[in-house]
Amino acid sequence: MSLGSCRASRHGFVLVLLCATFGMAMTHKLQHSKVYKTASDFVKDAETASILSPAVGADVSNSFMRFAEIRAGAQAKGVQSSGGDMPGSDGTVAKSIAGSIRLNGMNYMAQCDCAVPSGNLSEAGCTPSTTIIRTERKGKPLATQAANPPVSLSQDAILKNFIPSVADAVPVSVSDQMFVCNEAISETPVVATPGGDIGDFILALTEYEMLIQSMGVSDYQLTQEQIEQTFDKWLDYMPRAFMYMHTTATAAKSLWGTPTAPTATSTGTEFNTWIQKADNPLYIGCKHLAAMVSPSGGEQYSVRSSLAGGVIKAFYKKLVLQTPGYKKLKLDITTADTVQTAYVEIRTGKGCNQAGMTFAIPTKKKIGGKDAAIWLDHLDASVKRKEEYSAFFSQFAVLQGAAPQEEILRRRIVHHFYGWVSLTSGVLDTLGTFPFYSVAFK
């Protein structure tokens, strides 16, 4: 069984991981090595790793929490462990990280001698000093003659009610956050993207399929079985607790008969009947997903409508039949009738982007005694998330022998995503009602 090591010096961090093969009494040759020029680059990989088990005498979880503090630019708060080079607020230090980790889909036994140079612990750079809001499109005046007119949202109203001041803004890790749909309404701060997590997965799976086609298998299409198998692998691979999809209470009731989440009792003939309709846009409450599964909308989003429908079915099947991984699925059934009256795009500065951090924002607030809501899109965070998908599909090729190059796939997914952003903006332009604001943390 082999060990990896991590060494730190003023000139950079060096992480060496050696593959561990359990059950074999032999040491393998070096498989993976990487040189990190800054602490924040090292931390980015360290936090992506899932901690499977700590070794005896080592405090793995606390050490990883320590890394999170460095990446967020926090002050040293101490790690309760003995010996070594990592200073704590009470003078105690952690000597190393040791144990089993899962990094980029592979299991390792790893040991990291985590010497941290004294001095600046804010190398991650996610410490914005100001927020800048800009009007990208003014929109049209809202109708005020209605009995209950929606709340009009100006630049000042957005900054005052939805955007935290830099003094109060707390960065969150992009890899830790589930992405809600940008049309979801939430009083709790969220990170959002068109279609949410499930839309993101459809986008990445589409680009994987299209890349395989471009590699010479021109008529290749994923089967429903392959879609479900890939979905299972993704749930096991992803480094966060939940994967999000939303619908409306009206759509839920039309599909399975109640405005609440389907349960394990909804199996048998009843389940088999409604699951076949789950990819029908009439029963899908998310506007993005409903468009993707329709022939014309699928063309607009540049996705195969049956692939999008297959992913939605995979989500519901796992949720209802409670197959392994179902507890990671988050189905949000919205009942609010609050009207969104502005589109807000969140941009983060270079330091936060490099550190994989962003700022969660609420999409609903009470203003003047009335509910006000926004469409929300975390553009930079969404682009950052695409790195996870490209890494995943480069390692877990659905088609044997057809693993794409990670960087090529990442560029394709990001390019496709920008097309979705333009499509959303185009829809809003057609409606002509919503003002479009961009907010930058700098």
Side-chain angles (χ1 to χ4, degrees):
M1 185 163 57
S2 56
L3 294 177
S5 64
C6 162
R7 294 183 179 84
S9 70
R10 293 185 185 278
H11 305 293
F13 285 69
V14 181
L15 173 66
V16 180
L17 291 174
L18 287 81
C19 276
T21 301
F22 297 93
M24 298 183 65
M26 61 180 293
T27 300
H28 290 267
K29 294 181 179 179
L30 177 67
Q31 296 292 319
H32 301 282
S33 63
K34 191 172 182 178
V35 176
Y36 295 88
K37 294 182 179 179
T38 67
S40 59
D41 288 339
F42 169 67
V43 170
K44 198 156 45 178
D45 266 2
E47 283 192 276
T48 300
S50 300
I51 302 163
L52 303 180
S53 65
V56 176
D59 194 337
V60 181
S61 59
N62 279 350
S63 297
F64 271 78
M65 287 171 64
R66 169 71 172 155
F67 286 149
E69 291 172 7
I70 296 174
R71 188 158 93 176
Q75 294 297 317
K77 293 186 179 178
V79 180
Q80 301 303 315
S81 185
S82 59
D85 302 300
M86 188 179 289
S89 59
D90 60 353
T92 61
V93 287
K95 184 174 183 179
S96 66
I97 292 177
S100 302
I101 65 170
R102 182 174 181 83
L103 180 62
N104 293 332
M106 298 185 69
N107 293 342
Y108 300 93
M109 290 300 293
Q111 182 170 333
C112 174
D113 298 320
C114 305
V116 178
S118 61
N120 181 23
L121 293 178
S122 300
E123 292 187 60
C126 192
T127 54
S129 59
T130 187
T131 52
I132 300 173
I133 186 168
R134 188 171 70 179
T135 300
E136 306 292 347
R137 186 188 59 248
K138 291 183 177 180
K140 295 179 180 179
L142 297 174
T144 57
Q145 66 272 20
N148 186 29
V151 178
S152 180
L153 293 171
S154 64
Q155 276 194 13
D156 289 343
I158 294 294
L159 280 179
K160 180 179 179 181
N161 296 281
F162 292 91
I163 309 301
S165 67
V166 290
D168 296 329
V170 178
V172 296
S173 169
V174 172
S175 65
D176 291 342
Q177 301 298 306
M178 68 177 185
F179 279 20
V180 307
C181 181
N182 64 353
E183 66 185 51
I185 296 176
S186 171
E187 296 181 69
T188 302
V190 294
V191 179
T193 194
D197 282 331
I198 203 74
D200 239 11
F201 183 77
I202 291 171
L203 184 155
L205 192 60
T206 294
E207 277 304 320
Y208 172 78
E209 183 180 83
M210 294 173 69
L211 187 56
I212 297 304
Q213 293 169 355
S214 72
M215 292 168 65
V217 192
S218 58
D219 60 345
Y220 178 70
Q221 290 189 347
L222 292 160
T223 65
Q224 182 62 32
E225 182 180 9
Q226 288 174 322
I227 289 172
E228 292 177 10
Q229 289 173 348
T230 308
F231 189 64
D232 284 347
K233 288 181 179 179
W234 170 250
L235 289 177
D236 181 58
Y237 175 90
M238 70 177 195
R240 68 200 132 268
F242 296 109
M243 184 172 190
Y244 174 99
M245 184 170 77
H246 88 103
T247 188
T248 62
T250 300
K253 187 173 182 179
S254 297
L255 184 57
W256 56 74
T258 66
T260 55
T263 64
T265 58
S266 307
T267 55
T269 304
E270 181 184 352
F271 169 75
N272 292 332
T273 298
W274 74 255
I275 196 66
Q276 296 307 313
K277 301 186 295 182
D279 59 352
N280 187 320
L282 296 175
Y283 304 109
I284 298 175
C286 172
K287 296 181 180 67
H288 294 290
L289 299 181
M292 289 179 208
V293 300
S294 67
S296 59
E299 186 175 343
Q300 283 182 309
Y301 280 81
S302 298
V303 302
R304 181 164 59 88
S305 56
S306 56
L307 180 149
V311 172
I312 293 170
K313 284 183 175 180
F315 185 101
Y316 279 132
K317 284 179 68 176
K318 180 169 290 293
L319 182 69
V320 174
L321 300 180
Q322 298 187 358
T323 53
Y326 81 96
K327 290 184 178 180
K328 292 185 176 182
L329 301 182
K330 173 70 174 178
L331 179 63
D332 182 18
I333 301 178
T334 59
T335 57
D337 56 1
T338 306
V339 177
Q340 293 128 315
T341 55
Y343 193 96
V344 179
E345 180 182 275
I346 302 297
R347 304 297 299 264
T348 41
K350 182 179 179 181
C352 293
N353 292 340
Q354 290 180 338
M357 309 295 280
T358 191
F359 298 92
I361 306 294
T363 61
K364 178 183 177 183
K365 283 287 188 174
K366 188 79 73 174
I367 301 177
K370 298 183 63 174
D371 289 335
I374 60 174
W375 294 68
L376 182 64
D377 188 2
H378 282 76
L379 185 64
D380 291 336
S382 296
V383 171
K384 187 69 178 178
R385 174 63 58 85
K386 307 305 180 274
E387 294 177 4
E388 288 184 13
Y389 288 106
S390 56
F392 170 74
F393 282 106
S394 67
Q395 295 173 49
F396 296 100
V398 181
L399 183 63
Q400 189 68 30
Q405 293 184 25
E406 182 175 338
E407 179 57 23
I408 292 176
L409 184 56
R410 186 196 66 80
R411 289 200 301 266
R412 290 180 63 116
I413 295 173
V414 169
H415 179 75
H416 196 155
F417 168 70
Y418 279 127
W420 282 20
V421 173
S422 298
L423 178 63
T424 301
S425 179
V427 171
L428 296 178
D429 278 335
T430 301
L431 294 174
T433 300
F434 303 96
F436 191 143
Y437 303 114
S438 62
V439 177
F441 287 83
K442 290 189 173 183

